[in-house]
Amino acid sequence: MLRNDGKHVLFDWETCGNAQKDPNVVVPSLGVIVFDPNELVPFDELVKRAVRFKFNVKEQIDVLGRTSHQETIDWWRKPENAEAYNRVIISSGEDISLSELGGKLDEYLRKMNWSAGVDGDACGRVWTRGNAFDAPLMTNIYDKFNWDEPFPFYLLRDVRTK
């Protein structure tokens, strides 16, 4: 089992709907970073350590039966969100099948020496921006593919801002 030496992991899903109400929404991307909360690292270095998974939206709708909500699509299409819409929603050469996530996320966590196997007050925590949003979405996807989640629910912490 890997030691994580006090490392934490943060993940953030982008969606095409309200995952809190519908955890079967289309997920265009997932950002993940492993970090040591006791290490002072310049922002550009943190960005280099992070990973972004961009998923095939069309496949999710046509093959996996995932859903999208018009109000969220309308929000993505607002002029002030145009850059993000093009980067996150529009198909690109980076897109992978959602079915590839489990192995690729496990590979990233191993590479970063993060493991939920180490627990304690300062070890192995998992951070999301809203545990009623990101975490159930992760569970829904992992259940869909019969994968074991990379962390137990009791490691979850919330970084929701106002």
Side-chain angles (χ1 to χ4, degrees):
M1 184 170 293
L2 296 172
R3 285 191 62 222
N4 72 15
D5 296 321
K7 292 181 180 178
H8 295 214
V9 63
L10 180 139
F11 69 93
D12 181 40
W13 291 98
E14 297 300 338
T15 68
C16 292
N18 183 338
Q20 195 167 2
K21 293 179 181 175
D22 176 10
N24 196 47
V25 295
V26 169
V27 289
S29 72
L30 170 65
V32 183
I33 186 166
V34 172
F35 65 97
D36 180 339
N38 299 308
E39 180 184 23
L40 186 59
V41 179
F43 180 75
D44 58 333
E45 180 60 32
L46 280 176
V47 171
K48 289 177 190 173
R49 293 180 187 181
V51 65
R52 175 177 174 247
F53 302 102
K54 185 162 178 342
F55 304 107
N56 184 319
V57 169
K58 183 172 176 21
E59 176 198 49
Q60 289 181 58
I61 295 167
D62 295 347
V63 177
L64 301 175
R66 297 189 75 82
T67 56
S68 64
H69 303 167
Q70 191 58 49
E71 63 274 9
T72 304
I73 301 301
D74 292 344
W75 179 87
W76 277 109
R77 288 185 173 156
K78 286 182 179 181
E80 62 268 27
N81 298 329
E83 182 184 335
Y85 177 80
N86 289 329
R87 185 174 28 85
V88 174
I89 305 292
I90 299 299
S91 180
S92 76
E94 296 178 38
D95 295 7
I96 63 170
S97 172
L98 190 58
S99 66
E100 296 178 63
L101 173 62
K104 289 186 179 291
L105 182 55
D106 286 348
E107 180 182 325
Y108 169 75
L109 294 174
R110 272 192 308 274
K111 177 180 137 192
M112 300 303 290
N113 294 318
W114 188 87
S115 171
V118 178
D119 195 3
D121 289 337
C123 296
R125 298 298 177 212
V126 178
W127 299 88
T128 69
R129 186 172 174 178
N131 289 341
F133 188 91
D134 289 294
L137 186 53
M138 178 77 84
T139 298
N140 173 276
I141 291 166
Y142 271 65
D143 284 351
K144 168 79 175 167
F145 295 105
N146 295 312
W147 300 328
D148 292 330
E149 286 188 74
F151 50 81
F153 73 91
Y154 56 82
L155 294 180
L156 287 169
R157 299 297 181 263
D158 191 341
V159 293
R160 185 176 299 261
T161 57
K162 203 173 191 186

